[in-house]
RNA sequence: GGGCGGUUAGCUCAGUUGGUUAGAGCGCCUGCCUUACAAGCAGGAUGUCGGGGGUUCGAGUCCCUCACUGCCCACCA
């Protein structure tokens, strides 16, 4: 890589090249340690990529997630840890099946027409074709994952883990099968878990239906009991009507029966305290097969359950004349029929929440069906303990509460899905004894009766059952032997999980439950039992925010405000987008993604690019006069002798301070602080001040002191190179390109990512920081003065400076710096500023420019008056506090002293400003 | 119904255990093509920290309350 960089920074031309190089060279592969070499501990850093769905395309949320993980992984790797970032994809049961079904529909066919086997083949084909798309996009983003370890949740070895987990839980009697009300999606035609139902507020109706009361002889008494329902179609499955036992309106109906309209069936009136008297009519129809509350009611009162709908929510034979109607058509017909028979009491508007399938948004039908469940409490208990005992730490902390609240109120988990795509449940049903055989190896006969008439369950497992196992399964569980457990011993528990709150329950909580449960049985590398502390799937969880659009709106396809990261990356470069996300990623706050920021950070990248060009230009000039660039000294923190020029001591002090800050911030997941720190240092300190000053030292003329030039160039190079390393986790492409250019074809490593991350070496040189701050203030005042009195930009003019003792000598020593940066021809140290000159005063100095001023007297007067008002206010404020005995007694000494000093400064400045005002021509 | 956030400059956001004069980026105004960079340089303006009350010598920061706003959980038919 030659160091003659093109004139302008063009991200696309460099990013593709390095992205390809990192993958080709396998730079981030983390091989399995040799047996016995792997030891868990702080020397390791392992992290799992939340596996994107194979259906996925990269969106901004992914990019944020991956940028954060990549920054941390690169930082950890460069800090000397054995870093492993493990990528993979999720088969995503429902989501993927839906995509393929949609494709089939477009072809005019269906999965039913294909049959199960052919359909599953088709999905695999689809997966091979599209499944890697998101990973290819990740490569383009520079994600430093170990591509050699890439997995897919339906890989053979991960499927083994799924099967083992299922069988084990079954053996432990923590998996059971039973008929319960589950959330049923009629479009996906499968059960879904509580978490997969999203509720939307819906303006519906409350229909009041009159149920005729019948007498002892079974004849209509002429009386009615009016019930209220939001779903009239379910009345076909009514088995009772419930009222509150103390409801005075209905006391006379106790023990009576009703005729179910339309179905002409006798149903009892039951009494239950669950019924609320003030809702609707105080009488509620009971449909155990289609409502969870009714189901519980039915259990309590030993009522039958009548399921009136089929898998696609059409009315079945139990619905009599309504058989075959789709549920909403049935609803309309039923309401119409009731009206015609005079049994419709009334229709009221009613706003209520309606559950929809998370995937396809179809209205969910609560429905009685036979499903598999995990008895979750024992797992949840461990998962609660793991967090309460501090074995897993959440950032931001508040998510711990959210997590515990959910985990402590958890319900059994419905894990069976009536899908074709997924891990098939390892349970065989016997046609003879009707019992179930669950086994690790496919059985040929029923373990209960020995019959060979067994058939495997057609259900598959919830996708999250397999992804919940990932932290253990990717490292080889359950087949861990002394020979092959090095990965597990080294990398489990993983160090960190970085993810969004949207999958806190779906995935994070499940991993904690399953990790604690299954890893707990794996002995430690030394054979000792594993404690809960070492069973957890990860030690820390960092939950990041949602990426919204610039107006803080959630991105969604329907709103059309989705920002495609790949598009933005093409326009501004990956580095700029990464830096945007990092700089806006403060924990707990959503990110309003604004391309204006990205434009700003592309400018930052360009700034770095140009700083590199400037430096390389000087390296070349130095080479021409026989000064070497001193590359051998690179790769460490720069150090400068105490007699080095001020700017050299200062920039090294600043670099150390910023390095400490960045390391600390990254340790606290403060990506924003870290990014701002680097930005501020590089642009504000390094470019704006240091580079401008160092131009003075880069004197390649014959008469120049070569040693001094060489020293200046060395500090320049070292500081710049260290800055690149510091920046490289954030902007991996740009820094890689420039870093290689520094070495002009002979880099000491294959990548900047494989060098060491800077560590602050020493306490910052305070005297350099103080002196430089003073000079910066002086230079800024001179520039401001020039502007105020209208000195042309190009004019070079003398100044007068009055400063106190040590500061005066700093001015004298560094007059060349002042002259260059403030366009000054001569710095005159004086006892007092000459009368008539335009002057600025600070607590430390007075400064004036020697110039025939074209002063705007009115503006100057305004400025001074404003200053005076400010000083007076400050003094009054200080006096008020200092006059308060409580403050003097209770405030810490440094606060009181600071305030006193500040007051003195303000008194001085006030005097100066008043004098200056008096010296102005009268109004 | 329960819980958790947020409200700071025109915009997007920082602000560590309460402590001296509340910050950044973008935007805005003014002047500069100063040979690394006009994707730049220099200078400048801008806030009753959502309202009210309280604790304290001292509150953007702690407590109470109200308003607005966002999210999560629950799901009474």
């Amino acid at each position: 890589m030659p160091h003659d960089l093109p004139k302008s920074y063009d991200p696309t031309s460099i990013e593709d090249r390095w992205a390809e190089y990192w993958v080709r060279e396998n730079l981030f592969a983390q091989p399995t340690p040799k047996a016995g070499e792997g030891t868990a501990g702080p020397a390791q850093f392992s992290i799992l990529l939340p596996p994107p769905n194979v259906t996925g395309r990269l969106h901004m949320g992914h990019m944020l997630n991956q940028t954060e993980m990549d920054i941390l992984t690169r930082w950890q790797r460069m800090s000397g840890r054995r870093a492993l970032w493990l990528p993979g994809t999720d088969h995503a049961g429902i989501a993927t099946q839906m995509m393929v079904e949609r494709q089939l529909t477009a072809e005019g066919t269906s999965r039913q027409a294909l049959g199960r086997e052919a359909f599953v083949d088709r999905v695999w084909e689809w997966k091979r074709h599209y499944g890697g798309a998101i990973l290819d996009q990740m490569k383009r983003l520079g994600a430093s994952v170990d591509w050699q370890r890439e997995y897919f949740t339906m890989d053979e070895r991960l499927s083994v883990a799924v099967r083992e987990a299922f069988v084990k839980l079954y053996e432990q009697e923590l998996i059971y099968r039973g008929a319960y009300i589950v959330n049923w999606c009629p479009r996906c035609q499968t059960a879904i878990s509580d978490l997969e139902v999203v509720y939307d507020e819906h303006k519906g109706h409350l229909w009041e239906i009159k149920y005729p009361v019948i007498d002892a002889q079974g004849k209509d008494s002429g009386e009615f009991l009016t019930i209220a329902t939001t779903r009239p179609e379910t009345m076909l499955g009514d088995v009772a009507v419930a009222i509150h036992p103390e409801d005075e309106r209905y006391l006379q109906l106790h023990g009576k029966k009703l005729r179910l309209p339309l179905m002409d069936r006798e149903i009892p009136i039951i009494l239950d305290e669950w019924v609320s008297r003030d809702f609707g009519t105080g009488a509620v129809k009971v449909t155990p097969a289609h409502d969870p509350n009714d189901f519980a009611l039915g259990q309590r009162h030993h009522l039958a359950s009548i399921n009136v709908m089929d898998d696609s929510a059409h009315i079945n034979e139990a619905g009599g004349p309504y058989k075959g109607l789709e549920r909403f058509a049935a609803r309309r017909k039923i309401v119409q029929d009731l009206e015609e028979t005079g049994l419709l009491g009334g229709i009221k508007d009613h706003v209520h929440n309606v559950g929809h399938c998370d995937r396809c948004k179809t209205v969910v039908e609560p429905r009685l069906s036979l499903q598999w469940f995990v008895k979750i409490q024992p797992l949840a208990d461990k998962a609660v303990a793991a967090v309460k005992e501090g074995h897993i730490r959440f950032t931001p902390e508040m998510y711990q509460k959210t997590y515990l609240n959910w985990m402590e109120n958890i319900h059994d988990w419905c894990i069976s899905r009536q899908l074709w795509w997924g891990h098939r449940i390892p349970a065989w049903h016997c046609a003879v004894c009707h019992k179930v055989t669950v086994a690790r190896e496919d059985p040929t006969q029923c373990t209960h009766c020995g019959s060979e008439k067994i058939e495997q369950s057609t259900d598959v497992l919830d996708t999250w059952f397999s992804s919940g196992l990932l932290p253990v399964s990717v490292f080889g569980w359950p087949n861990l032997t002394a020979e092959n457990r090095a990965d597990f011993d080294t990398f489990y528990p993983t160090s960190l999980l970085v993810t969004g709150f949207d999958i806190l329950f779906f995935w994070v909580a499940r991993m904690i439950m399953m990790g604690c449960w299954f890893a707990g049985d794996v002995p430690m590398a030394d054979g000792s039992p594993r404690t809960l502390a070492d069973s957890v799937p990860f030690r820390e969880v960092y939950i990041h925010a949602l990426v919204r659009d610039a107006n803080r709106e959630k991105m969604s396809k329907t709103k059309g405000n989705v920002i495609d990261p790949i598009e933005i990356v093409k326009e501004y470069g990956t580095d700029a987008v990464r830096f945007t996300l990092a700089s806006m990623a403060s924990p707990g706050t959503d990110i309003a993604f604004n391309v204006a920021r990205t434009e700003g950070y592309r400018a930052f990248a360009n700034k770095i690019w140009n700083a590199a060009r400037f430096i390389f230009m000087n390296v070349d000039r130095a080479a021409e006069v026989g000064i070497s660039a001193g590359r051998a000294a690179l790769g460490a923190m720069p150090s400068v002798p105490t007699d080095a020029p001020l700017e050299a001591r200062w920039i090294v002090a600043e670099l150390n301070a910023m390095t400490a800050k960045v390391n600390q911030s990254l340790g606290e997941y403060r990506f924003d602080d870290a990014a701002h720190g680097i930005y501020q240092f590089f642009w504000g300190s390094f470019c704006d001040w240091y580079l401008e000053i160092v131009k003075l030292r880069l004197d390649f003329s014959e008469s120049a002191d070569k040693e001094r030039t060489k020293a200046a160039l060395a500090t320049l190079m070292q500081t710049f190179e260290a800055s690149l390393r510091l920046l490289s986790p954030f902007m991996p492409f740009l820094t890689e390109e420039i870093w290689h250019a520094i070495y002009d074809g002979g880099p000491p490593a294959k990548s900047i990512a494989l060098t060491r991350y800077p560590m602050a070496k020493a306490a910052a040189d305070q005297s350099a920081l103080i002196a430089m701050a003073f000079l910066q203030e002086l230079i800024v005042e001179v520039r401001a003065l020039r502007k105020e009195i209208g000195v042309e930009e190009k004019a070079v003019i003398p100044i007068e400076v009055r400063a106190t003792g040590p500061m005066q000598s700093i001015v004298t020593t560094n007059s060349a710096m002042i002259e260059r940066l403030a366009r000054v021809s001569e710095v005159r140290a004086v006892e007092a500023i000459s009368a008539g000159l335009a002057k600025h005063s600070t607590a430390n100095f007075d400064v004036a420019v020697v110039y025939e001023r074209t002063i705007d007297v009115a503006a100057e007067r305004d400025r001074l008056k404003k200053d005076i008002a400010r000083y007076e206010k400050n003094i009054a404020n200080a006096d008020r506090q200092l006059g308060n005995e409580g403050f003097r007694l209770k405030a810490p000494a440094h606060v009181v002293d600071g305030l006193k000093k500040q007051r003195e400064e303000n008194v001085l400045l006030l005097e100066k400003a008043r004098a200056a005002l008096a010296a102005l021509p009268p109004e």
Side-chain angles (χ1 to χ4, degrees), chain A residues 214-215 217-218 239 257-260 264-268:
Chain A
I214 52 181
D215 58 25
Q217 286 72 45
V239 295
K257 294 200 167 183
L258 303 169
R259 183 184 315 286
L260 179 62
D264 204 25
R265 223 174 43 227
E266 267 185 27
I267 56 172

Side-chain angles (χ1 to χ4, degrees), chain A residues 207-212 224 232-233 235-236 260-264 315 319-323 325-347:
Chain A
W207 284 274
E208 295 183 350
I209 305 170
K210 290 151 74 178
Y211 284 21
F224 296 97
E233 68 280 10
M235 71 180 287
L236 303 175
L260 179 62
L262 310 179
M263 295 302 286
D264 204 25
I315 305 298
Y322 300 93
K323 182 182 176 215
L325 286 178
E326 192 277 331
R327 59 185 162 163
F328 296 115
R331 176 182 297 180
R332 283 189 295 276
K333 182 81 167 48
I334 285 167
V335 169
Q336 192 189 335
D337 289 352
L338 287 169
E339 198 162 19
E340 282 169 10
T341 50
L343 292 175
L344 188 64
I347 306 175

Side-chain angles (χ1 to χ4, degrees), chain A residues 233-250:
Chain A
E233 68 280 10
T234 62
M235 71 180 287
L236 303 175
D238 281 4
V239 295
V241 169
I243 53 176
H244 194 279
E246 283 151 32
D247 192 331
E248 292 175 1
R249 290 170 296 181
Y250 302 130

